Amino acid sequence: YFREEFRFLFKSFNMTFAIITHVPHIYKNENFYAYAPYVREMNVWGKYVDNIELVASISKKEISSIHLPYTHSAISITKIPSISLTSYSEVIKSLVAFPIIIFKLFLVMRKADHIHLRCPGNIGLIGCMVQVLFPNKLKTAKYAGNWDPMAKQPLSYRIQKWILSNTLLTKNMKVLVYGDWGVASKNVVSFFTATFHASEIEIPLERNYRDALNFIFVGGLVNGKRPLFVIKVVEALHEQGHKVKLDTFGDGVLKTELEQYISKHNLEAIITLHGNQSKDLIKEALRKAHFLISPSKSEGWPKAVAEAMFFGTIPIATSISCVPTMLDFGNRGILIEPILENAVSKISNTIKNKNLKRMSKLASEWSQNFTLEYFEGEIKKLLID
C-alpha cells in the first residue's frame, strides 16, 4: 500500500494536467464555472494533480443553477474560440479559428505532463489529431458518447473513435468508454460515472404501484432527449385510465413548444415543467418517483437513469449505448422503442403484469455499486498507472 502511495506521489509531483474540452466556461469572481456534472467529475481528477490547464472557450452567459466552479487552487485557462458547423457563416468562422486552436493545443500539450481529452465534440476531434504528435505523453480521453460500433453517428464522432482506438496513431492513451463492446484495442477501457456518495445509499422508499403513479423526466428540453414524446406517453397512459403524474426537470429550446402542447391538451393537472432545479431538489424527487422516462436518441452513460435507479425509481429508456446492460435487458427497468403506441403498450403491460417492487430493488442494488468513492478510486488508479 505505502509503495503504491509513494509511487503516486512521486509521479504526481508538479503534474500539469491539461484538459481539452468543448464545454463553454464562465469566469466570475476569480473562479471558472461550467456545466455542473462535468465540473463535479473534473474536480475529482483535480484532487490528484498539481496544476490544471484548461483549453476551452469562454462564454458571456450568466451563471445559473446548472453551473458549478472548479475547486482546484492552481487552475489557468488557454482561451480558444468556440466552433460550430451548423451554418455557412459558422463554418467560415470555424475554418478561420481552426489553425489558431491547433497552435494553442500544441503549446499546451507540449508543456503538459498528462493530456486529458473530452470527447466527442469539435474540440475533442482537433485534440485527437494534435495528441498524435506527443506519443510519449501520458494521456486519457473520456468518450462520453455512445461507443457502440454499430451506432449511426456523425462522421466527426467516427473519426474520433478511430483515432483514439488506433494504437499506431495514439500512444500512452486510456480511452474511457461506457459499456463493454468487446473492442480489441488496448487503448479502450470500459468505465462508468457516479453522482452520489456511499453515505447517501439508503433503502428505497416502499412504493405503491397500484395507485397513482409519479413519472419523472430529468434532462434538457431538446430534440435529442425527446421530452414531447415523454409527455405524449404519460398523456396516453392517462387516457387509458391510469392515474399518472409527470414532473420534468430541465430547460431548453423546446420549453415553449411543450408548454403550448400541455395547454392545448389540457394536461396542466397531470404535467408540470419545473425547469432547472438544484441537485438536492431533484434527488428528493427521485426518492419518491415511481418511474423515470428517458427516451434519448443518443447516450453514453445516462446519468439520469443511473441516478434514478440509485433510489429505486424504475427507469424507462430506449435501447441505446450501454442502457440495455444497465437495465439487465429488462430486469432492472423497461426498455422501449421510440414509437408511441409500442412504448405505451410495453409500459402499461409491465405495470399490470410485472413485479415492480422487485424491479425497483434490483435497480437500486445495481446502481448503488457505483458511488463517488468507487469512481474516485478508479480515477486515482488511472493517474497512478
Side-chain angles (χ1 to χ4, degrees):
Y1 170 81
F2 289 109
R3 182 171 58 190
E4 182 183 84
E5 289 298 308
F6 176 80
R7 184 161 62 93
F8 169 71
L9 290 171
F10 177 78
K11 291 187 72 172
S12 66
F13 181 71
N14 273 336
M15 180 191 285
T16 297
F17 186 69
I19 304 171
I20 317 301
T21 178
H22 63 277
V23 176
H25 286 62
I26 302 170
Y27 185 70
K28 190 170 184 178
N29 301 326
E30 299 185 347
N31 284 306
F32 291 104
Y33 291 78
Y35 181 54
Y38 154 80
V39 173
R40 286 193 192 100
E41 179 181 329
M42 297 323 302
N43 282 339
V44 173
W45 289 83
K47 289 182 180 182
Y48 301 102
V49 300
D50 298 282
N51 306 290
I52 292 179
E53 179 69 32
L54 290 167
V55 183
S57 62
I58 292 291
S59 171
K60 295 181 179 179
K61 290 183 178 180
E62 291 296 318
I63 296 169
S64 71
S65 59
I66 66 169
H67 297 109
L68 277 180
Y70 289 82
T71 56
H72 203 280
S73 59
I75 186 168
S76 58
I77 190 167
T78 295
K79 301 176 187 176
I80 57 172
S82 59
I83 58 175
S84 171
L85 305 177
T86 56
S87 67
Y88 181 76
S89 61
E90 289 296 326
V91 170
I92 297 299
K93 291 179 184 177
S94 297
L95 289 174
V96 174
F98 194 73
I100 298 171
I101 295 171
I102 290 177
F103 180 67
K104 289 190 173 185
L105 285 179
F106 178 85
L107 293 180
V108 170
M109 289 186 184
R110 186 174 65 175
K111 69 179 183 180
D113 299 300
H114 190 117
I115 299 165
H116 182 68
L117 304 179
R118 306 297 296 190
C119 301
N122 293 328
I123 302 303
L125 174 58
I126 300 173
C128 285
M129 294 186 288
V130 177
Q131 63 82 26
V132 173
L133 302 175
F134 300 94
N136 297 321
K137 296 276 187 178
L138 293 174
K139 288 168 282 189
T140 49
K142 176 68 175 291
Y143 194 91
N146 184 359
W147 192 265
D148 183 354
M150 304 304 294
K152 293 182 180 179
Q153 294 180 322
L155 177 61
S156 64
Y157 285 28
R158 299 200 302 272
I159 293 172
Q160 288 171 73
K161 290 163 72 172
W162 177 74
I163 294 174
L164 291 172
S165 60
N166 188 314
T167 55
L168 294 178
L169 293 175
T170 302
K171 307 287 188 180
N172 285 325
M173 171 75 83
K174 295 294 183 185
V175 186
L176 313 180
V177 308
Y178 298 133
D180 186 358
W181 304 104
V183 182
S185 172
K186 65 179 183 180
N187 284 355
V188 179
V189 178
S190 181
F191 214 66
F192 66 99
T193 191
T195 303
F196 302 111
H197 292 280
S199 61
E200 296 176 273
I201 292 176
E202 60 185 47
I203 298 174
L205 296 175
E206 187 77 16
R207 292 164 168 89
N208 178 3
Y209 294 98
R210 298 304 175 190
D211 201 354
L213 298 173
N214 180 202
F215 290 78
I216 190 171
F217 168 87
V218 180
L221 303 183
V222 295
N223 284 319
K225 298 296 182 181
R226 295 191 175 108
L228 182 57
F229 181 83
V230 173
I231 289 173
K232 289 181 177 180
V233 165
V234 173
E235 178 187 19
L237 290 170
H238 174 66
E239 290 174 349
Q240 286 185 358
H242 294 281
K243 295 180 181 179
V244 293
K245 180 177 180 292
L246 171 66
D247 292 290
T248 77
F249 296 90
D251 209 341
V253 295
L254 296 181
K255 181 178 180 181
T256 300
E257 178 184 339
L258 300 179
E259 289 175 335
Q260 291 172 348
Y261 186 91
I262 291 168
S263 175
K264 180 180 178 180
H265 293 82
N266 301 311
L267 300 173
E268 293 89 347
I270 63 169
I271 298 176
T272 305
L273 306 182
H274 295 279
N276 289 326
Q277 297 296 333
S278 69
K279 176 186 172 184
D280 288 341
L281 195 150
I282 294 174
K283 174 182 172 180
E284 189 59 27
L286 290 173
R287 291 179 70 247
K288 298 177 181 178
H290 294 86
F291 299 96
L292 171 116
I293 309 184
S294 180
S296 297
K297 292 182 180 180
S298 180
E299 285 286 3
W301 174 282
K303 289 187 73 173
V305 170
E307 290 166 6
M309 295 170 75
F310 194 92
F311 297 104
T313 298
I314 296 173
I316 301 169
T318 39
S319 184
I320 53 173
S321 186
C322 60
V323 172
T325 304
M326 293 174 72
L327 273 57
D328 192 25
F329 303 95
N331 292 316
R332 293 191 287 253
I334 305 171
L335 292 167
I336 60 170
E337 300 175 45
I339 301 169
L340 185 61
E341 295 78 8
N342 293 0
V344 172
S345 176
K346 182 76 173 287
I347 295 167
S348 183
N349 288 335
T350 302
I351 291 172
K352 293 175 182 176
N353 302 315
K354 293 290 185 179
N355 185 340
L356 298 178
K357 290 185 179 181
R358 175 171 170 74
M359 188 178 287
S360 169
K361 182 174 183 291
L362 292 174
S364 64
E365 287 176 346
W366 176 85
S367 185
Q368 288 175 4
N369 288 308
F370 301 98
T371 62
L372 283 169
E373 287 78 10
Y374 179 39
F375 179 71
E376 183 171 334
E378 294 302 302
I379 294 296
K380 186 177 178 180
K381 289 178 185 177
L382 290 167
L383 292 170
I384 290 173
D385 294 339

